[in-house]
Coordinates of all heavy atoms in Angstrom, one line a residue:
L1 N 17.2 42.6 -0.3 CA 16.4 41.6 0.4 C 16.9 41.4 1.9 O 16.1 41.0 2.7 CB 16.4 40.3 -0.3 CG 15.6 40.2 -1.6 CD1 15.7 38.9 -2.3 CD2 14.1 40.5 -1.4
K2 N 18.2 41.6 2.0 CA 18.8 41.3 3.4 C 18.3 42.2 4.4 O 18.3 41.9 5.6 CB 20.3 41.2 3.3 CG 20.9 42.6 3.1 CD 22.5 42.4 3.0 CE 23.1 43.7 2.7 NZ 24.6 43.6 2.6
N3 N 17.7 43.4 4.0 CA 17.2 44.4 4.9 C 15.7 44.3 5.1 O 15.1 45.0 5.9 CB 17.6 45.8 4.4 CG 19.1 46.0 4.5 OD1 19.8 45.4 5.3 ND2 19.6 46.7 3.5
D4 N 15.0 43.4 4.4 CA 13.6 43.3 4.4 C 13.2 41.9 4.6 O 13.1 41.1 3.6 CB 12.9 44.0 3.2 CG 11.4 44.1 3.3 OD1 10.8 43.2 4.0 OD2 10.9 45.0 2.8
E5 N 13.0 41.4 5.8 CA 12.7 40.0 6.0 C 11.4 39.5 5.3 O 11.4 38.4 4.9 CB 12.6 39.8 7.5 CG 12.6 38.3 7.9 CD 12.6 38.1 9.4 OE1 13.3 38.8 10.1 OE2 11.9 37.2 9.8
G6 N 10.5 40.4 5.2 CA 9.2 40.0 4.5 C 9.5 39.7 3.0 O 9.0 38.7 2.5
L7 N 10.2 40.6 2.4 CA 10.5 40.4 1.0 C 11.4 39.1 0.8 O 11.2 38.3 -0.1 CB 11.2 41.6 0.3 CG 10.3 42.8 0.1 CD1 11.2 43.9 -0.4 CD2 9.2 42.5 -0.9
A8 N 12.3 39.0 1.7 CA 13.2 37.8 1.6 C 12.4 36.5 1.8 O 12.6 35.5 1.1 CB 14.3 37.9 2.7
N9 N 11.4 36.5 2.7 CA 10.6 35.4 2.9 C 9.7 35.0 1.7 O 9.5 33.9 1.4 CB 9.7 35.5 4.2 CG 9.1 34.3 4.6 OD1 9.7 33.2 4.6 ND2 7.8 34.3 5.0
I10 N 9.2 36.1 1.1 CA 8.4 35.9 -0.2 C 9.3 35.2 -1.2 O 8.9 34.3 -1.9 CB 7.8 37.2 -0.7 CG1 6.7 37.7 0.3 CG2 7.2 37.0 -2.0 CD1 6.2 39.1 0.1
F11 N 10.5 35.7 -1.4 CA 11.4 35.2 -2.4 C 11.7 33.7 -2.0 O 11.7 32.8 -2.9 CB 12.7 36.0 -2.4 CG 13.7 35.5 -3.4 CD1 13.4 35.5 -4.8 CD2 15.0 35.2 -3.1 CE1 14.3 35.1 -5.7 CE2 15.9 34.8 -4.0 CZ 15.6 34.7 -5.3
Y12 N 12.0 33.4 -0.7 CA 12.3 32.1 -0.3 C 11.1 31.1 -0.6 O 11.3 30.0 -1.1 CB 12.6 32.1 1.2 CG 12.8 30.7 1.8 CD1 13.9 30.0 1.6 CD2 11.7 30.1 2.5 CE1 14.1 28.7 2.1 CE2 11.9 28.8 3.0 CZ 13.1 28.1 2.8 OH 13.2 26.9 3.3
Q13 N 9.9 31.6 -0.3 CA 8.7 30.8 -0.6 C 8.6 30.5 -2.1 O 8.2 29.4 -2.5 CB 7.5 31.4 -0.1 CG 7.4 31.5 1.5 CD 7.5 30.1 2.1 OE1 6.9 29.1 1.6 NE2 8.2 30.0 3.2
A14 N 8.9 31.5 -2.9 CA 8.9 31.3 -4.4 C 9.9 30.3 -4.8 O 9.6 29.4 -5.7 CB 9.2 32.7 -5.1
I15 N 11.0 30.3 -4.2 CA 12.0 29.3 -4.5 C 11.5 27.9 -4.1 O 11.6 26.9 -4.9 CB 13.4 29.6 -3.8 CG1 14.0 30.8 -4.5 CG2 14.4 28.4 -3.9 CD1 15.2 31.4 -3.7
M16 N 11.1 27.8 -2.9 CA 10.7 26.5 -2.4 C 9.4 25.9 -3.1 O 9.3 24.7 -3.2 CB 10.4 26.6 -0.9 CG 11.6 27.0 0.0 SD 13.0 25.9 -0.3 CE 12.5 24.4 0.4
S17 N 8.6 26.8 -3.6 CA 7.4 26.3 -4.3 C 7.5 26.2 -5.8 O 6.6 25.7 -6.5 CB 6.2 27.2 -4.0 OG 6.4 28.5 -4.6
G18 N 8.7 26.6 -6.3 CA 8.9 26.5 -7.8 C 8.2 27.6 -8.5 O 8.0 27.5 -9.7
D19 N 7.9 28.7 -7.9 CA 7.2 29.9 -8.5 C 8.2 30.7 -9.4 O 8.8 31.6 -8.9 CB 6.5 30.7 -7.5 CG 5.8 31.9 -8.0 OD1 5.8 32.2 -9.2 OD2 5.1 32.6 -7.2
E20 N 8.3 30.2 -10.6 CA 9.3 30.8 -11.5 C 9.0 32.3 -11.8 O 9.9 33.1 -12.0 CB 9.5 30.0 -12.8 CG 10.0 28.6 -12.6 CD 11.4 28.5 -11.9 OE1 12.2 29.4 -12.2 OE2 11.6 27.6 -11.1
D21 N 7.7 32.6 -11.9 CA 7.4 34.0 -12.3 C 7.9 35.0 -11.2 O 8.5 36.0 -11.4 CB 5.9 34.2 -12.5 CG 5.4 33.5 -13.7 OD1 6.2 33.4 -14.7 OD2 4.2 33.1 -13.8
T22 N 7.6 34.6 -9.9 CA 8.0 35.5 -8.8 C 9.5 35.5 -8.7 O 10.1 36.6 -8.5 CB 7.4 35.0 -7.5 OG1 5.9 35.0 -7.6 CG2 7.8 35.9 -6.3
K23 N 10.1 34.4 -8.8 CA 11.6 34.4 -8.8 C 12.2 35.3 -9.9 O 13.1 36.0 -9.6 CB 12.1 32.9 -9.0 CG 12.0 32.1 -7.7 CD 12.4 30.6 -7.9 CE 13.3 30.3 -9.0 NZ 13.6 28.8 -9.1
G24 N 11.6 35.2 -11.1 CA 12.1 36.0 -12.2 C 11.9 37.5 -11.9 O 12.8 38.3 -12.2
Q25 N 10.8 37.8 -11.3 CA 10.6 39.2 -11.0 C 11.6 39.7 -10.0 O 12.1 40.9 -10.1 CB 9.2 39.4 -10.4 CG 8.1 39.3 -11.4 CD 6.7 39.2 -10.7 OE1 6.5 39.4 -9.5 NE2 5.6 39.0 -11.5
Y26 N 11.9 38.9 -9.0 CA 12.9 39.3 -8.0 C 14.3 39.4 -8.6 O 15.0 40.4 -8.4 CB 13.0 38.3 -6.8 CG 12.0 38.6 -5.7 CD1 10.6 38.4 -5.8 CD2 12.4 39.2 -4.5 CE1 9.7 38.7 -4.8 CE2 11.5 39.5 -3.5 CZ 10.2 39.2 -3.7 OH 9.3 39.5 -2.7
H27 N 14.6 38.5 -9.4 CA 15.9 38.5 -10.1 C 16.0 39.8 -11.0 O 17.1 40.4 -11.0 CB 16.2 37.3 -10.9 CG 16.5 36.1 -10.1 ND1 17.6 36.0 -9.2 CD2 15.9 34.8 -9.9 CE1 17.7 34.9 -8.6 NE2 16.7 34.1 -9.0
A28 N 15.0 40.1 -11.7 CA 15.0 41.3 -12.5 C 15.2 42.5 -11.7 O 15.9 43.4 -12.0 CB 13.8 41.3 -13.4
Q29 N 14.4 42.6 -10.6 CA 14.4 43.8 -9.8 C 15.7 44.0 -9.1 O 16.2 45.1 -8.9 CB 13.3 43.7 -8.8 CG 13.2 45.0 -7.9 CD 12.0 44.9 -7.0 OE1 11.1 44.0 -7.1 NE2 11.9 45.9 -6.0
Y30 N 16.4 42.9 -8.6 CA 17.6 43.0 -7.8 C 18.9 42.6 -8.6 O 19.9 42.5 -7.9 CB 17.4 42.1 -6.6 CG 16.4 42.7 -5.6 CD1 15.1 42.1 -5.6 CD2 16.6 43.8 -4.8 CE1 14.1 42.6 -4.8 CE2 15.6 44.3 -4.0 CZ 14.4 43.7 -4.0 OH 13.4 44.2 -3.1
W31 N 18.8 42.4 -9.9 CA 19.9 42.0 -10.6 C 21.2 42.9 -10.4 O 22.3 42.4 -10.2 CB 19.6 41.8 -12.1 CG 20.9 41.7 -12.9 CD1 21.4 42.6 -13.9 CD2 21.9 40.7 -12.8 NE1 22.6 42.1 -14.4 CE2 22.9 40.9 -13.7 CE3 22.0 39.5 -12.1 CZ2 24.0 40.1 -13.9 CZ3 23.1 38.7 -12.2 CH2 24.1 39.0 -13.1
Q32 N 21.0 44.2 -10.5 CA 22.1 45.1 -10.3 C 22.9 44.9 -9.0 O 24.1 44.9 -8.9 CB 21.7 46.5 -10.5 CG 22.9 47.5 -10.7 CD 23.8 47.2 -11.8 OE1 23.4 46.8 -12.9 NE2 25.1 47.3 -11.6
Y33 N 22.1 44.7 -7.9 CA 22.7 44.4 -6.6 C 23.4 43.1 -6.6 O 24.5 42.9 -6.0 CB 21.6 44.4 -5.5 CG 20.9 45.7 -5.4 CD1 19.6 45.8 -5.8 CD2 21.5 46.9 -5.0 CE1 18.9 47.0 -5.8 CE2 20.8 48.1 -4.9 CZ 19.5 48.2 -5.3 OH 18.9 49.4 -5.2
T34 N 22.8 42.1 -7.2 CA 23.4 40.8 -7.3 C 24.8 40.9 -8.1 O 25.8 40.3 -7.7 CB 22.5 39.8 -8.0 OG1 21.3 39.7 -7.3 CG2 23.1 38.4 -8.1
K35 N 24.7 41.6 -9.2 CA 25.9 41.7 -10.0 C 27.0 42.4 -9.2 O 28.2 42.0 -9.3 CB 25.6 42.5 -11.3 CG 26.8 42.7 -12.2 CD 26.4 43.6 -13.4 CE 27.7 43.9 -14.2 NZ 27.4 44.9 -15.2
E36 N 26.7 43.5 -8.5 CA 27.7 44.2 -7.7 C 28.3 43.3 -6.7 O 29.5 43.4 -6.5 CB 27.0 45.4 -7.1 CG 26.7 46.6 -8.0 CD 25.9 47.7 -7.3 OE1 25.8 47.7 -6.1 OE2 25.3 48.5 -8.1
E37 N 27.5 42.5 -6.0 CA 28.1 41.6 -5.0 C 29.0 40.5 -5.6 O 30.0 40.2 -5.1 CB 27.0 41.0 -4.2 CG 26.2 42.0 -3.3 CD 27.2 42.7 -2.3 OE1 28.0 42.0 -1.7 OE2 27.0 43.9 -2.2
L38 N 28.5 40.0 -6.8 CA 29.4 39.1 -7.5 C 30.7 39.7 -7.9 O 31.8 39.0 -7.8 CB 28.7 38.5 -8.7 CG 27.6 37.5 -8.5 CD1 26.8 37.2 -9.7 CD2 28.2 36.2 -8.0
Q39 N 30.7 40.9 -8.4 CA 31.9 41.6 -8.8 C 32.8 41.8 -7.6 O 34.0 41.6 -7.7 CB 31.6 42.9 -9.5 CG 31.0 42.7 -10.9 CD 30.5 44.0 -11.5 OE1 29.9 44.8 -10.8 NE2 30.9 44.2 -12.8
K40 N 32.3 42.2 -6.5 CA 33.1 42.3 -5.2 C 33.7 41.0 -4.9 O 34.9 41.0 -4.5 CB 32.2 42.8 -4.1 CG 31.8 44.3 -4.2 CD 30.9 44.6 -3.0 CE 30.2 45.9 -3.2 NZ 29.3 46.2 -2.0
H41 N 33.0 39.9 -4.9 CA 33.5 38.6 -4.6 C 34.6 38.2 -5.5 O 35.7 37.7 -5.1 CB 32.3 37.6 -4.6 CG 32.8 36.2 -4.5 ND1 33.4 35.7 -3.3 CD2 32.8 35.2 -5.4 CE1 33.7 34.4 -3.5 NE2 33.3 34.1 -4.7
V42 N 34.4 38.4 -6.8 CA 35.4 38.0 -7.8 C 36.6 38.8 -7.6 O 37.7 38.3 -7.6 CB 34.8 38.1 -9.2 CG1 35.9 38.0 -10.3 CG2 33.7 37.1 -9.5
D43 N 36.5 40.1 -7.5 CA 37.7 41.0 -7.4 C 38.4 40.7 -6.1 O 39.7 40.6 -6.1 CB 37.3 42.5 -7.4 CG 36.8 42.9 -8.7 OD1 37.1 42.3 -9.7 OD2 36.1 44.0 -8.8
G44 N 37.7 40.4 -5.0 CA 38.4 40.1 -3.7 C 39.1 38.7 -3.8 O 40.2 38.6 -3.3
T45 N 38.5 37.8 -4.5 CA 39.1 36.5 -4.7 C 40.4 36.6 -5.5 O 41.4 36.0 -5.2 CB 38.1 35.5 -5.3 OG1 37.0 35.3 -4.4 CG2 38.8 34.1 -5.4
L46 N 40.3 37.4 -6.6 CA 41.5 37.6 -7.4 C 42.7 38.2 -6.6 O 43.8 37.8 -6.7 CB 41.2 38.5 -8.6 CG 40.4 37.8 -9.7 CD1 39.8 38.8 -10.7 CD2 41.2 36.7 -10.4
R47 N 42.3 39.2 -5.8 CA 43.4 39.8 -4.9 C 43.9 38.8 -3.9 O 45.2 38.7 -3.7 CB 42.8 41.0 -4.1 CG 42.7 42.3 -4.9 CD 42.3 43.5 -4.0 NE 41.1 43.3 -3.3 CZ 39.9 43.6 -3.8 NH1 39.7 44.1 -5.0 NH2 38.8 43.4 -3.0
D48 N 43.1 38.0 -3.3 CA 43.5 36.9 -2.4 C 44.4 35.9 -3.1 O 45.4 35.5 -2.6 CB 42.3 36.2 -1.8 CG 41.6 37.1 -0.8 OD1 42.1 38.1 -0.3 OD2 40.4 36.7 -0.4
L49 N 44.0 35.5 -4.3 CA 44.8 34.5 -5.0 C 46.2 35.0 -5.3 O 47.2 34.3 -5.2 CB 44.1 34.1 -6.3 CG 43.0 33.1 -6.2 CD1 42.1 33.1 -7.4 CD2 43.4 31.7 -5.8
D50 N 46.3 36.3 -5.7 CA 47.6 36.9 -5.9 C 48.5 36.9 -4.6 O 49.7 36.6 -4.7 CB 47.5 38.3 -6.5 CG 47.0 38.4 -7.9 OD1 47.0 37.3 -8.6 OD2 46.5 39.4 -8.3
K51 N 47.8 37.3 -3.5 CA 48.5 37.4 -2.3 C 49.0 36.0 -1.8 O 50.1 35.8 -1.4 CB 47.6 38.0 -1.2 CG 48.1 38.0 0.2 CD 47.1 38.7 1.1 CE 45.9 37.8 1.2 NZ 44.9 38.3 2.2
W52 N 48.1 35.0 -2.0 CA 48.4 33.6 -1.6 C 49.6 33.0 -2.5 O 50.4 32.3 -2.0 CB 47.2 32.7 -1.6 CG 46.2 33.1 -0.7 CD1 46.3 33.7 0.6 CD2 44.8 32.9 -0.8 NE1 45.1 33.9 1.2 CE2 44.1 33.4 0.4 CE3 44.0 32.4 -1.8 CZ2 42.8 33.4 0.6 CZ3 42.6 32.4 -1.6 CH2 42.0 32.9 -0.4
S53 N 49.5 33.4 -3.8 CA 50.6 32.9 -4.7 C 51.9 33.5 -4.3 O 52.9 32.9 -4.4 CB 50.2 33.1 -6.1 OG 49.1 32.3 -6.5
E54 N 51.9 34.8 -4.0 CA 53.1 35.5 -3.6 C 53.7 34.8 -2.4 O 54.9 34.6 -2.3 CB 52.8 37.0 -3.4 CG 54.0 37.8 -3.1 CD 53.7 39.3 -2.9 OE1 52.8 39.8 -3.6 OE2 54.3 39.9 -2.1
K55 N 52.8 34.5 -1.4 CA 53.3 33.9 -0.2 C 53.8 32.5 -0.5 O 54.9 32.1 0.0 CB 52.1 33.8 0.8 CG 52.5 33.2 2.1 CD 51.3 33.3 3.1 CE 51.7 32.7 4.5 NZ 50.6 32.7 5.4
A56 N 53.1 31.7 -1.3 CA 53.6 30.4 -1.6 C 55.0 30.5 -2.3 O 55.8 29.6 -2.1 CB 52.6 29.7 -2.5
N57 N 55.2 31.5 -3.2 CA 56.5 31.6 -3.9 C 57.6 31.9 -2.9 O 58.8 31.7 -3.2 CB 56.4 32.7 -4.9 CG 55.9 32.2 -6.2 OD1 56.3 31.1 -6.7 ND2 55.1 33.0 -6.9
S58 N 57.3 32.4 -1.7 CA 58.3 32.7 -0.7 C 58.8 31.4 0.0 O 59.8 31.5 0.8 CB 57.9 33.8 0.2 OG 56.9 33.2 1.1
Y59 N 58.1 30.3 -0.1 CA 58.4 29.1 0.7 C 59.6 28.4 0.0 O 59.7 28.3 -1.2 CB 57.2 28.2 0.7 CG 56.1 28.7 1.6 CD1 54.8 28.2 1.4 CD2 56.3 29.6 2.6 CE1 53.7 28.7 2.2 CE2 55.2 30.0 3.4 CZ 54.0 29.6 3.2 OH 52.9 30.0 4.0
D60 N 60.3 27.7 0.9 CA 61.4 26.9 0.4 C 60.9 25.5 -0.1 O 60.1 24.8 0.6 CB 62.4 26.6 1.6 CG 63.6 25.7 1.3 OD1 63.7 25.2 0.1 OD2 64.4 25.5 2.2
L61 N 61.2 25.2 -1.3 CA 60.6 24.0 -1.9 C 61.1 22.7 -1.2 O 60.5 21.7 -1.3 CB 61.0 23.9 -3.4 CG 60.3 25.0 -4.3 CD1 60.8 24.8 -5.8 CD2 58.8 24.8 -4.3
N62 N 62.2 22.8 -0.6 CA 62.7 21.6 0.2 C 61.8 21.3 1.3 O 61.7 20.1 1.7 CB 64.2 21.9 0.6 CG 65.1 21.9 -0.5 OD1 65.0 21.1 -1.5 ND2 66.0 22.9 -0.5
T63 N 61.3 22.3 2.0 CA 60.4 22.1 3.1 C 58.9 22.1 2.7 O 58.1 21.7 3.5 CB 60.7 23.1 4.3 OG1 60.5 24.4 3.7 CG2 62.1 22.9 4.8
H64 N 58.6 22.7 1.6 CA 57.3 22.7 1.1 C 57.2 22.3 -0.4 O 57.0 23.1 -1.3 CB 56.7 24.2 1.2 CG 56.7 24.7 2.6 ND1 57.8 25.3 3.2 CD2 55.7 24.7 3.5 CE1 57.4 25.7 4.4 NE2 56.2 25.3 4.6
P65 N 57.3 21.0 -0.6 CA 57.4 20.4 -1.9 C 56.1 20.6 -2.7 O 56.2 20.4 -4.0 CB 57.8 19.0 -1.7 CG 57.3 18.6 -0.3 CD 57.4 19.9 0.5
R66 N 55.0 20.9 -2.1 CA 53.8 21.0 -2.9 C 53.5 22.4 -3.4 O 52.4 22.6 -4.0 CB 52.6 20.5 -2.0 CG 52.7 19.1 -1.7 CD 51.4 18.6 -1.0 NE 51.5 17.1 -0.8 CZ 50.8 16.5 0.0 NH1 50.0 17.1 0.8 NH2 51.0 15.2 0.2
V67 N 54.4 23.3 -3.2 CA 54.2 24.7 -3.7 C 53.9 24.7 -5.1 O 53.0 25.4 -5.5 CB 55.4 25.6 -3.3 CG1 55.4 26.9 -4.1 CG2 55.4 25.9 -1.8
P68 N 54.6 24.0 -6.0 CA 54.3 24.1 -7.4 C 52.8 23.7 -7.7 O 52.1 24.3 -8.5 CB 55.2 23.1 -8.1 CG 56.4 23.1 -7.2 CD 55.8 23.2 -5.8
L69 N 52.3 22.7 -7.0 CA 50.9 22.2 -7.2 C 50.0 23.3 -6.7 O 49.0 23.6 -7.4 CB 50.7 20.9 -6.4 CG 49.3 20.4 -6.5 CD1 48.9 20.0 -7.9 CD2 49.2 19.1 -5.6
I70 N 50.3 23.9 -5.6 CA 49.5 25.0 -5.1 C 49.4 26.2 -6.1 O 48.4 26.8 -6.4 CB 50.0 25.5 -3.7 CG1 49.7 24.4 -2.7 CG2 49.3 26.8 -3.3 CD1 50.5 24.6 -1.3
L71 N 50.6 26.5 -6.6 CA 50.7 27.6 -7.6 C 49.9 27.3 -8.9 O 49.2 28.1 -9.4 CB 52.1 28.0 -7.9 CG 52.9 28.6 -6.8 CD1 54.4 28.7 -7.1 CD2 52.3 29.9 -6.4
Q72 N 50.0 26.0 -9.3 CA 49.2 25.6 -10.5 C 47.7 25.7 -10.2 O 47.0 26.2 -11.1 CB 49.6 24.2 -10.8 CG 49.0 23.7 -12.1 CD 49.4 22.2 -12.4 OE1 50.1 21.6 -11.6 NE2 49.0 21.8 -13.6
H73 N 47.3 25.3 -9.0 CA 45.9 25.4 -8.7 C 45.5 26.9 -8.6 O 44.4 27.2 -9.2 CB 45.7 24.7 -7.3 CG 44.3 25.0 -6.7 ND1 44.1 26.0 -5.9 CD2 43.1 24.4 -6.9 CE1 42.8 26.0 -5.6 NE2 42.2 25.0 -6.2
N74 N 46.3 27.7 -8.0 CA 45.9 29.1 -7.9 C 45.8 29.7 -9.3 O 44.9 30.6 -9.5 CB 46.9 29.9 -7.1 CG 46.8 29.6 -5.6 OD1 45.9 28.8 -5.2 ND2 47.7 30.1 -4.8
A75 N 46.7 29.4 -10.2 CA 46.6 29.9 -11.6 C 45.4 29.5 -12.3 O 44.7 30.3 -13.0 CB 47.9 29.4 -12.4
F76 N 45.0 28.2 -12.1 CA 43.7 27.7 -12.7 C 42.5 28.5 -12.1 O 41.7 28.9 -12.9 CB 43.6 26.2 -12.4 CG 42.3 25.7 -12.8 CD1 42.0 25.4 -14.2 CD2 41.3 25.4 -11.9 CE1 40.7 24.9 -14.5 CE2 40.0 24.9 -12.2 CZ 39.7 24.7 -13.6
V77 N 42.5 28.6 -10.8 CA 41.3 29.3 -10.2 C 41.3 30.8 -10.6 O 40.3 31.3 -10.9 CB 41.4 29.1 -8.6 CG1 40.3 30.0 -8.0 CG2 41.2 27.7 -8.3
R78 N 42.5 31.4 -10.7 CA 42.6 32.8 -11.1 C 42.0 32.9 -12.5 O 41.3 33.9 -12.8 CB 44.1 33.2 -11.0 CG 44.2 34.7 -11.3 CD 45.7 35.2 -11.1 NE 45.8 36.6 -10.9 CZ 45.6 37.5 -11.9 NH1 45.3 37.1 -13.1 NH2 45.7 38.8 -11.6
Q79 N 42.4 32.1 -13.4 CA 41.9 32.2 -14.8 C 40.4 32.0 -14.8 O 39.7 32.7 -15.6 CB 42.6 31.1 -15.7 CG 42.3 31.3 -17.2 CD 42.6 32.7 -17.7 OE1 43.7 33.2 -17.6 NE2 41.6 33.4 -18.3
T80 N 39.9 31.1 -14.0 CA 38.5 30.9 -14.0 C 37.8 32.1 -13.5 O 36.8 32.5 -14.1 CB 38.1 29.7 -13.0 OG1 38.8 28.5 -13.5 CG2 36.6 29.4 -12.9
F81 N 38.3 32.7 -12.5 CA 37.7 34.0 -12.0 C 37.9 35.1 -12.9 O 37.0 36.0 -13.0 CB 38.3 34.3 -10.6 CG 37.5 33.7 -9.5 CD1 37.6 32.3 -9.2 CD2 36.6 34.4 -8.7 CE1 36.9 31.7 -8.2 CE2 35.9 33.8 -7.6 CZ 36.0 32.5 -7.4
L82 N 39.0 35.2 -13.7 CA 39.1 36.2 -14.7 C 38.1 36.0 -15.8 O 37.5 37.0 -16.4 CB 40.5 36.2 -15.3 CG 41.6 36.7 -14.5 CD1 43.0 36.4 -15.1 CD2 41.4 38.2 -14.2
N83 N 37.7 34.8 -16.2 CA 36.7 34.5 -17.2 C 35.3 35.0 -16.6 O 34.5 35.6 -17.4 CB 36.6 33.0 -17.5 CG 37.8 32.5 -18.3 OD1 38.6 33.3 -18.8 ND2 38.0 31.2 -18.2
V84 N 35.1 34.7 -15.4 CA 33.8 35.2 -14.8 C 33.8 36.7 -14.8 O 32.7 37.3 -15.1 CB 33.6 34.6 -13.3 CG1 32.4 35.2 -12.6 CG2 33.5 33.1 -13.4
K85 N 34.9 37.3 -14.4 CA 35.0 38.8 -14.4 C 34.7 39.4 -15.7 O 33.9 40.3 -15.9 CB 36.3 39.2 -13.9 CG 36.5 40.7 -13.8 CD 37.8 41.1 -13.2 CE 38.1 42.6 -13.3 NZ 37.1 43.4 -12.7
A86 N 35.2 38.8 -16.8 CA 35.0 39.3 -18.1 C 33.5 39.2 -18.5 O 33.0 40.1 -19.1 CB 35.8 38.5 -19.1
N87 N 32.9 38.1 -18.1 CA 31.4 37.9 -18.4 C 30.6 39.0 -17.6 O 29.7 39.5 -18.1 CB 31.0 36.5 -18.0 CG 31.4 35.5 -19.0 OD1 31.7 35.8 -20.2 ND2 31.6 34.2 -18.6
L88 N 31.0 39.1 -16.3 CA 30.2 40.1 -15.5 C 30.4 41.5 -16.1 O 29.4 42.3 -16.0 CB 30.7 40.1 -14.1 CG 30.2 38.9 -13.2 CD1 30.9 38.9 -11.9 CD2 28.7 39.0 -13.0
D89 N 31.6 41.8 -16.6 CA 31.9 43.2 -17.0 C 31.0 43.6 -18.2 O 30.8 44.8 -18.5 CB 33.4 43.4 -17.3 CG 34.2 43.4 -16.1 OD1 33.6 43.6 -15.0 OD2 35.4 43.3 -16.2
V90 N 30.6 42.6 -19.0 CA 29.8 42.9 -20.2 C 28.3 42.8 -20.0 O 27.5 43.0 -20.9 CB 30.2 42.1 -21.4 CG1 31.6 42.4 -21.8 CG2 30.0 40.6 -21.2
M91 N 27.9 42.4 -18.8 CA 26.5 42.3 -18.5 C 25.9 43.6 -18.1 O 26.4 44.5 -17.6 CB 26.3 41.3 -17.3 CG 26.6 39.9 -17.7 SD 26.3 38.8 -16.3 CE 26.1 37.3 -17.1

């Protein structure tokens, strides 16, 4: 859709008007592309989280006392993205 403004506009109009049939047709036709983009996003975010956690682990806790909270957050987000990845992998 990003390469065809006309098709993108039809899809947009279907969304704005609540045309579920047209939206469903687009989703069915482009699902594989949507899935590929979601997988790229999930995989990239997982790589980033690992990189950010590694960087946070290198900080001195005396000058960066919130590192444990950041690491806990990153672990939570990582697990969430792993769950999404598992769901995408079986679709």
Side-chain angles (χ1 to χ4, degrees):
L1 287 178
K2 67 182 177 183
N3 296 326
D4 189 327
E5 192 173 322
L7 287 177
N9 192 40
I10 293 169
F11 182 59
Y12 174 77
Q13 291 302 322
I15 292 168
M16 297 308 292
S17 68
D19 182 351
E20 297 299 324
D21 290 335
T22 301
K23 283 175 23 181
Q25 290 170 3
Y26 272 77
H27 284 301
Q29 182 174 351
Y30 293 102
W31 166 244
Q32 191 58 39
Y33 301 109
T34 303
K35 179 183 172 190
E36 288 172 13
E37 291 303 315
L38 282 170
Q39 287 173 315
K40 288 178 193 176
H41 171 66
V42 168
D43 291 341
T45 300
L46 287 169
R47 282 190 301 274
D48 287 344
L49 284 164
D50 289 342
K51 178 178 62 178
W52 296 330
S53 293
E54 185 178 325
K55 183 176 180 179
N57 271 320
S58 72
Y59 291 156
D60 180 357
L61 291 178
N62 293 316
T63 55
H64 296 88
R66 293 190 178 158
V67 165
L69 181 62
I70 291 168
L71 292 173
Q72 184 180 8
H73 170 267
N74 287 357
F76 171 77
V77 173
R78 187 175 197 287
Q79 187 57 54
T80 301
F81 272 74
L82 286 172
N83 292 342
V84 171
K85 180 176 174 51
N87 287 334
L88 284 171
D89 287 346
V90 297
M91 290 181 157

